[in-house]
Amino acid sequence: MEIEREKVREFRQALLRFAQKTPSIPDVEIEVPEYLLGFGKPVFDAEKCWGCAACKIRCLDGALEVREDGERRLIVLYPWKCIACEECAKLCPKEAITIVHSINLREFLSDEPVVCVEHDVVRCENCGKPIGAAKQVDEVFSQLEGAGYPPSHWRRSKALCEECRRLLSARMLIESWGIELA
Amino acid sequence: MEAVDQRVEAEVVETVKPPAIRIGYRSLTGKVFYVNPDRCIGCKSCVLVCSLSHAGTPMLTVQMIGEYSIPMHCQHCEVSACMEACPEEAISRNELGLVIINESKCVGCGACAIACPFGAVRVDEARRVAVKCDLCFDKLEKGELPMCVRTCPAQAVQIIECIGCNFCVASCPFARKYPLGQGK
């Protein structure tokens, strides 16, 4: 059965406004029966998750978000936005997400996000921009080395972000024409 | 006796991984995508027409270094790091030897962006997939030229016949120095 996104969103917003006037909401976990569509949340397996944030990019409801907190990358969830459409669980390349059909009442009726999973961030050596989550970066590089990529292939670009890699390779390509750059 | 020999041959063929995956545009078509930083005037008309022909998302950038500039396309490497890194097998090589992202398979995890030594791939937040230059392969298949080649007023990007000088291998900043020589 298809979830009607617009209706669910309106209902959620009304619920949230109502909850903001309520003095105290009990901190209880409620099981949702399966016939009640649109309630639930993704649960991340921190062992499997490699922090790529594909789930965030593909979430149609904007329920997931990525926060950079110093050296850490957090994937956070707004429980009231999530309608348990299972899109993220289906596309996750690491199959780290399962959808549970239960909600925490206090988390569900508040505007504050919940931290799902935390990762270390690898930063560009040149400009300090994040390249990606440490686990994903390590895994991608070890996979490439396993596929026969020599370390020399990576020696210069490995520790750089996209922009600095472009700049470096542009510089090297121009220099190969015998042009001297300042 | 002949039948037995044929069967053995067939079994061998099945177990060997197809080598076609590492044959690029140059080897397949005998042509090369040629970028000349000496001619580039840095006008960025290639970026403009690229975004026009790719639904508003430019797939290349023009890098300015001092008084020189160079358009940075996807190099469609013969040894493609992005293809190797993709967990969803969304990146493949088409019959022209170009490295193409299949947008229906891509989930936007960005492993290709981490892998690409040229920084040519990025994840587009609006389109929710990884994007990179496809060298306008739909136009190449019809025998037309890519948009950037058609538009460049200084002819800094061209598609020319390969003369086998191996300058591309010598100038590749990340090349594993293996002999190509398979192209015409």
Side-chain angles (χ1 to χ4, degrees), chain B residues 35-46:
Chain B
V35 180
N36 188 338
D38 251 347
R39 286 191 186 156
C40 179
I41 53 173
C43 66
K44 299 192 182 171
S45 26
C46 48

Side-chain angles (χ1 to χ4, degrees), chain A residues 36-123:
Chain A
L36 199 58
L37 288 174
F39 290 91
K41 63 186 171 190
V43 172
F44 287 70
D45 186 339
E47 290 282 299
K48 285 186 192 167
C49 174
W50 66 353
C52 67
C55 43
K56 174 249 164 184
I57 283 169
R58 299 289 279 223
C59 180
L60 292 170
D61 301 278
L64 289 161
E65 220 169 75
V66 173
R67 295 220 170 148
E68 302 287 342
D69 179 22
E71 287 302 297
R72 307 285 280 170
R73 167 187 269 200
L74 313 176
I75 296 179
V76 297
L77 170 77
Y78 290 91
W80 69 277
K81 284 186 183 172
C82 175
I83 62 165
C85 66
E86 304 196 1
E87 189 66 27
C88 51
K90 269 182 232 156
L91 65 84
C92 179
K94 287 287 161 190
E95 292 167 2
I97 304 176
T98 42
I99 301 289
V100 293
H101 289 278
S102 76
I103 50 170
N104 182 308
L105 202 60
R106 184 175 285 175
E107 283 172 5
F108 187 73
L109 291 175
S110 91
D111 212 0
E112 289 299 305
V114 187
V115 176
C116 290
V117 65
E118 275 184 51
H119 285 281
D120 285 327
V121 173
V122 180
R123 285 179 188 279

Side-chain angles (χ1 to χ4, degrees), chain B residues 127-147:
Chain B
R127 284 169 78 163
R128 298 161 190 265
V129 284
V131 294
K132 73 171 190 68
C133 163
D134 56 4
L135 213 56
C136 297
F137 71 95
D138 47 336
K139 295 194 175 61
L140 277 175
E141 275 166 4
K142 279 187 254 161
E144 295 170 14
L145 290 173
M147 288 307 279

